[in-house]
Amino acid sequence: MSRHQVAAATGLLVRALTKRWAAASGLSRGKGQLLALAAGTIASMAIMRV
């Protein structure tokens, strides 16, 4: 797998896990989606910088 593929897969995984965590902790759907998007983006950017 290339670094881009790993970064994309990790971003999607982090996004999905964050959405589930946000829903379980009672955040509104919009805030949960925004948080998940930010977390996924940060995770994939961090891998690309390594």
Side-chain angles (χ1 to χ4, degrees), residues 22-42:
S25 61
L27 283 178
S28 70
R29 189 173 184 177
K31 286 182 183 177
Q33 287 180 343
L34 184 61
L35 179 63
L37 178 63
T41 302
I42 291 168

Side-chain angles (χ1 to χ4, degrees), residues 8-49:
T10 303
L12 289 173
L13 177 64
V14 169
R15 192 176 302 167
L17 291 174
T18 306
K19 272 187 187 180
R20 291 190 67 179
W21 174 83
S25 61
L27 283 178
S28 70
R29 189 173 184 177
K31 286 182 183 177
Q33 287 180 343
L34 184 61
L35 179 63
L37 178 63
T41 302
I42 291 168
S44 55
M45 288 176 74
I47 287 179
M48 289 303 294
R49 294 195 47 104

